[in-house]
Amino acid sequence: MMTLHQLTCFLSVYEEGSLTAAAARLGYAQPSVSEQVRNLEKTLGAELFRRAGRGVVATTVADDLRPHAERVLAAAQEARAAVASGVRLETGTIRFGMFGTARLYAGAGLVADVLARHPGVRVELIGQNSNEVSEDLRKGRLEAAMIAVPQLQSEGLDITPVARDELVYVSADPQRLESPVTPQRLATASLVMPETTFRAEDSVRMALRQWLHETGRNPQTRIEVEDVETAVELAGMGLADTVINRGAAEQLVPRLAPGAGWVSLRPKQYDTLAIVHRAGATLSPAARLMIELATARIQAIAEPVRPR
């Protein structure tokens, strides 16, 4: 098999016209260079050099091989440079998983943070729902992500909680905002809820179902939608109320439902936000950068969870 080492030795001998001079140029022992050239000749089935006095003379086969060897070695050098550049985060693409609601109030800031440090990279934020992002992590499509987690253990994944985001009740009716909402009140409320495709696995709905367990009822939805923006707009129209993350409420209610407001649940309920990656994975510099910046960004918005 032809190797880069063989081609390097071949070009040095070709350009120096001497095995000894080529070895000195490369910093190798002369027998090592001779062996590499012989092995290359065996692979090609052709003679590359003939001895002439104290040096060697290239054959026509060597003349034909030279430009190809130069291109191969140049391409290998470019590949090494590209990888080194990516490791230094000068170029390339950084991919990071992030569930839809978090992107509303941290996504743009996170991208800006990355580009401020590494203006030459390309950034991809991937994912609509935490369950979907988890599957991409398990299958190796993503290296790391920040998602909402209903529990702190999941097979095949390492989960590190970094923040918790309060769940709030959004309504256009001022009377419904006069006091925190109890499980009994929520159980009889008319609700519009987002994430209808992922309703069984959505972390907010799972938290509410567990919270309402004592009442023996599940939250009753009057309207099902996919995105939180539509849910907030409908709540602002007074067609139904909704329960969403406080971070999303602070971002969306003033813009999409200026006549609405929000109030806490009693007792307060939270969505846990965590950094997640495959168990035992060795993370790349890009993944470690995204984890650092995403954690700082989300902890500036939601309540930080500090390691014990």
Side-chain angles (χ1 to χ4, degrees), residues 29-71:
Q30 190 269 339
S32 175
V33 173
S34 298
E35 182 183 6
Q36 293 301 318
V37 172
R38 283 196 303 271
N39 289 339
L40 180 59
E41 289 177 327
K42 289 179 182 178
T43 298
L44 297 174
E47 187 180 26
L48 296 173
F49 300 101
R50 296 189 188 94
R51 288 196 173 274
R54 294 185 178 181
V56 294
V57 176
T59 65
T60 56
V61 174
D63 291 335
D64 292 336
L65 176 61
R66 179 190 58 80
H68 298 286
E70 289 175 341
R71 284 196 293 270

Coordinates of all heavy atoms in Angstrom, one line a residue, residues 29-71:
A29 N 17.6 8.3 8.9 CA 18.8 7.6 8.6 C 18.7 7.2 7.1 O 17.6 6.9 6.6 CB 18.9 6.3 9.4
Q30 N 19.8 7.1 6.4 CA 19.8 6.8 5.0 C 19.2 5.4 4.6 O 18.4 5.3 3.7 CB 21.2 6.9 4.4 CG 21.3 6.8 2.9 CD 21.5 5.4 2.4 OE1 21.9 4.5 3.1 NE2 21.1 5.2 1.1
P31 N 19.4 4.4 5.4 CA 18.8 3.1 5.1 C 17.3 3.2 5.2 O 16.6 2.5 4.5 CB 19.3 2.2 6.2 CG 20.7 2.8 6.6 CD 20.4 4.3 6.5
S32 N 16.7 4.0 6.1 CA 15.3 4.2 6.2 C 14.7 4.8 5.0 O 13.6 4.3 4.5 CB 14.9 5.0 7.4 OG 13.5 5.3 7.5
V33 N 15.3 5.8 4.4 CA 14.9 6.4 3.2 C 14.9 5.4 2.0 O 14.0 5.2 1.2 CB 15.7 7.6 2.8 CG1 15.3 8.2 1.5 CG2 15.5 8.7 3.9
S34 N 16.0 4.6 1.9 CA 16.2 3.6 0.9 C 15.1 2.6 1.0 O 14.5 2.1 0.0 CB 17.5 2.9 1.0 OG 18.6 3.8 0.8
E35 N 14.7 2.2 2.2 CA 13.7 1.1 2.4 C 12.3 1.7 2.0 O 11.5 1.0 1.3 CB 13.6 0.7 3.9 CG 12.6 -0.3 4.2 CD 12.5 -0.7 5.6 OE1 13.2 0.0 6.4 OE2 11.7 -1.6 6.0
Q36 N 12.0 2.9 2.3 CA 10.7 3.5 1.9 C 10.6 3.6 0.3 O 9.6 3.3 -0.2 CB 10.6 4.9 2.5 CG 10.4 4.9 4.0 CD 9.3 4.1 4.5 OE1 8.2 4.2 3.9 NE2 9.5 3.3 5.5
V37 N 11.7 3.9 -0.3 CA 11.7 4.0 -1.8 C 11.5 2.6 -2.4 O 10.7 2.4 -3.3 CB 13.0 4.7 -2.3 CG1 13.0 4.6 -3.8 CG2 13.0 6.2 -1.9
R38 N 12.2 1.6 -1.8 CA 12.1 0.2 -2.3 C 10.7 -0.3 -2.1 O 10.1 -0.9 -3.0 CB 13.1 -0.7 -1.6 CG 14.5 -0.6 -2.1 CD 15.3 -1.8 -1.6 NE 15.3 -1.9 -0.1 CZ 16.1 -1.4 0.7 NH1 17.1 -0.6 0.2 NH2 16.1 -1.6 2.0
N39 N 10.1 0.0 -1.0 CA 8.7 -0.4 -0.8 C 7.7 0.2 -1.7 O 6.8 -0.4 -2.2 CB 8.3 -0.1 0.7 CG 9.0 -1.0 1.7 OD1 9.5 -2.1 1.3 ND2 9.0 -0.5 2.9
L40 N 8.0 1.5 -2.0 CA 7.1 2.2 -3.0 C 7.3 1.6 -4.4 O 6.3 1.4 -5.1 CB 7.5 3.7 -3.0 CG 6.6 4.6 -4.0 CD1 5.2 4.5 -3.7 CD2 7.1 6.0 -3.9
E41 N 8.5 1.2 -4.8 CA 8.7 0.6 -6.1 C 8.0 -0.8 -6.1 O 7.5 -1.1 -7.2 CB 10.2 0.4 -6.3 CG 11.0 1.7 -6.6 CD 12.4 1.6 -6.7 OE1 13.0 0.7 -6.0 OE2 13.1 2.3 -7.5
K42 N 8.0 -1.5 -5.0 CA 7.3 -2.8 -5.0 C 5.8 -2.6 -5.2 O 5.2 -3.3 -5.9 CB 7.6 -3.5 -3.7 CG 9.0 -4.1 -3.6 CD 9.2 -4.7 -2.2 CE 10.7 -5.2 -2.0 NZ 10.9 -5.8 -0.7
T43 N 5.3 -1.6 -4.5 CA 3.9 -1.3 -4.6 C 3.5 -0.9 -6.0 O 2.5 -1.4 -6.6 CB 3.5 -0.1 -3.7 OG1 3.7 -0.5 -2.3 CG2 2.0 0.2 -3.8
L44 N 4.3 -0.1 -6.7 CA 4.0 0.3 -8.0 C 4.4 -0.7 -9.1 O 4.0 -0.6 -10.2 CB 4.7 1.7 -8.3 CG 4.3 2.8 -7.4 CD1 5.2 4.1 -7.7 CD2 2.9 3.2 -7.7
G45 N 5.3 -1.6 -8.7 CA 5.8 -2.5 -9.7 C 6.7 -1.9 -10.8 O 6.7 -2.3 -12.0
A46 N 7.4 -0.9 -10.4 CA 8.3 -0.1 -11.4 C 9.5 0.5 -10.7 O 9.4 0.8 -9.5 CB 7.5 1.0 -12.0
E47 N 10.6 0.6 -11.4 CA 11.8 1.2 -10.9 C 11.7 2.7 -10.9 O 11.3 3.3 -11.9 CB 13.0 0.8 -11.7 CG 14.3 1.2 -11.1 CD 15.5 0.8 -12.0 OE1 15.3 0.5 -13.2 OE2 16.6 0.6 -11.4
L48 N 12.0 3.4 -9.8 CA 11.9 4.9 -9.8 C 13.3 5.6 -9.9 O 13.3 6.7 -10.4 CB 11.3 5.3 -8.4 CG 9.8 4.8 -8.2 CD1 9.4 5.1 -6.8 CD2 8.9 5.4 -9.2
F49 N 14.3 4.9 -9.5 CA 15.7 5.6 -9.5 C 16.7 4.5 -10.0 O 16.6 3.3 -9.7 CB 16.1 6.1 -8.2 CG 15.1 7.2 -7.6 CD1 14.2 6.8 -6.7 CD2 15.2 8.5 -8.1 CE1 13.3 7.8 -6.2 CE2 14.3 9.4 -7.6 CZ 13.4 9.1 -6.7
R50 N 17.7 5.0 -10.7 CA 18.9 4.2 -11.0 C 20.1 4.9 -10.4 O 20.2 6.1 -10.3 CB 19.1 4.2 -12.5 CG 18.0 3.5 -13.3 CD 18.4 3.3 -14.8 NE 17.3 2.8 -15.6 CZ 16.5 3.6 -16.2 NH1 16.7 4.9 -16.2 NH2 15.5 3.0 -16.9
R51 N 21.0 4.1 -9.9 CA 22.2 4.6 -9.3 C 23.1 5.2 -10.4 O 23.3 4.7 -11.4 CB 23.0 3.5 -8.5 CG 22.3 3.1 -7.2 CD 23.2 2.3 -6.3 NE 22.6 2.1 -5.0 CZ 22.6 3.0 -4.0 NH1 23.2 4.1 -4.1 NH2 22.0 2.7 -2.9
A52 N 23.7 6.4 -10.0 CA 24.7 7.0 -10.9 C 25.7 7.7 -10.1 O 25.5 8.7 -9.5 CB 24.0 8.1 -11.8
G53 N 26.9 7.0 -10.0 CA 28.0 7.5 -9.2 C 27.6 7.5 -7.7 O 27.1 6.5 -7.2
R54 N 27.7 8.6 -7.1 CA 27.3 8.7 -5.7 C 25.8 9.1 -5.5 O 25.3 9.2 -4.4 CB 28.1 9.7 -4.9 CG 29.6 9.3 -4.8 CD 30.3 10.3 -4.0 NE 31.7 9.9 -3.8 CZ 32.6 10.6 -3.1 NH1 32.3 11.7 -2.5 NH2 33.9 10.2 -3.1
G55 N 25.1 9.4 -6.6 CA 23.7 9.8 -6.5 C 22.8 8.8 -7.2 O 23.1 7.7 -7.5
V56 N 21.6 9.3 -7.5 CA 20.6 8.5 -8.3 C 20.0 9.4 -9.3 O 20.0 10.6 -9.2 CB 19.5 8.0 -7.3 CG1 20.0 7.0 -6.3 CG2 18.8 9.1 -6.6
V57 N 19.5 8.7 -10.4 CA 18.8 9.4 -11.5 C 17.4 8.9 -11.6 O 17.2 7.7 -11.5 CB 19.6 9.2 -12.8 CG1 18.8 9.8 -14.0 CG2 21.0 9.7 -12.7
A58 N 16.5 9.9 -11.7 CA 15.1 9.5 -11.7 C 14.7 8.8 -13.1 O 15.2 9.2 -14.1 CB 14.2 10.7 -11.5
T59 N 13.9 7.8 -13.0 CA 13.4 7.2 -14.3 C 12.2 8.0 -14.8 O 11.7 8.9 -14.2 CB 13.0 5.7 -14.0 OG1 11.8 5.8 -13.1 CG2 14.1 4.9 -13.3
T60 N 11.8 7.6 -16.0 CA 10.6 8.3 -16.6 C 9.3 8.0 -15.7 O 8.4 8.8 -15.7 CB 10.3 7.8 -18.0 OG1 10.2 6.4 -18.1 CG2 11.5 8.2 -18.9
V61 N 9.3 6.8 -15.1 CA 8.2 6.5 -14.2 C 8.2 7.5 -13.0 O 7.1 8.0 -12.6 CB 8.3 5.1 -13.7 CG1 7.2 4.8 -12.6 CG2 8.1 4.1 -14.8
A62 N 9.3 7.8 -12.5 CA 9.5 8.8 -11.4 C 9.0 10.2 -11.9 O 8.4 10.9 -11.1 CB 10.9 8.8 -10.9
D63 N 9.4 10.5 -13.1 CA 9.0 11.8 -13.7 C 7.4 11.9 -13.7 O 6.8 12.9 -13.4 CB 9.5 12.0 -15.1 CG 11.0 12.2 -15.1 OD1 11.6 12.7 -14.0 OD2 11.7 11.9 -16.1
D64 N 6.8 10.8 -14.1 CA 5.3 10.8 -14.2 C 4.7 10.8 -12.8 O 3.6 11.4 -12.6 CB 4.9 9.5 -14.9 CG 5.2 9.5 -16.4 OD1 5.4 10.6 -16.9 OD2 5.3 8.4 -17.0
L65 N 5.4 10.2 -11.8 CA 4.8 10.1 -10.5 C 4.9 11.4 -9.7 O 4.1 11.7 -8.9 CB 5.5 9.0 -9.7 CG 5.1 8.8 -8.2 CD1 3.7 8.4 -8.1 CD2 6.0 7.8 -7.5
R66 N 6.0 12.2 -10.0 CA 6.3 13.4 -9.2 C 5.1 14.3 -9.0 O 4.7 14.7 -7.9 CB 7.5 14.1 -9.8 CG 7.8 15.4 -9.0 CD 8.8 16.2 -9.8 NE 8.3 16.6 -11.1 CZ 7.5 17.6 -11.3 NH1 7.0 18.3 -10.3 NH2 7.1 17.9 -12.6
P67 N 4.4 14.8 -10.1 CA 3.3 15.7 -9.9 C 2.1 15.1 -9.1 O 1.5 15.9 -8.3 CB 2.8 16.1 -11.3 CG 3.3 15.0 -12.2 CD 4.6 14.5 -11.5
H68 N 1.9 13.9 -9.2 CA 0.8 13.2 -8.5 C 1.2 13.2 -7.0 O 0.4 13.4 -6.1 CB 0.5 11.8 -9.0 CG 0.1 11.8 -10.4 ND1 -1.2 12.1 -10.8 CD2 0.7 11.4 -11.5 CE1 -1.3 12.0 -12.1 NE2 -0.2 11.6 -12.6
A69 N 2.5 12.8 -6.7 CA 2.9 12.8 -5.3 C 2.8 14.2 -4.7 O 2.4 14.3 -3.5 CB 4.4 12.3 -5.3
E70 N 3.2 15.2 -5.4 CA 3.1 16.6 -4.9 C 1.7 16.9 -4.5 O 1.4 17.5 -3.5 CB 3.7 17.5 -5.9 CG 5.2 17.5 -6.0 CD 5.7 18.3 -7.1 OE1 4.9 18.8 -8.0 OE2 6.9 18.7 -7.1
R71 N 0.7 16.6 -5.4 CA -0.7 16.9 -5.2 C -1.2 16.1 -3.9 O -2.0 16.7 -3.1 CB -1.5 16.6 -6.4 CG -1.4 17.6 -7.5 CD -2.5 17.5 -8.5 NE -2.4 16.2 -9.3 CZ -1.7 16.1 -10.4 NH1 -1.0 17.1 -10.9 NH2 -1.7 14.9 -11.0

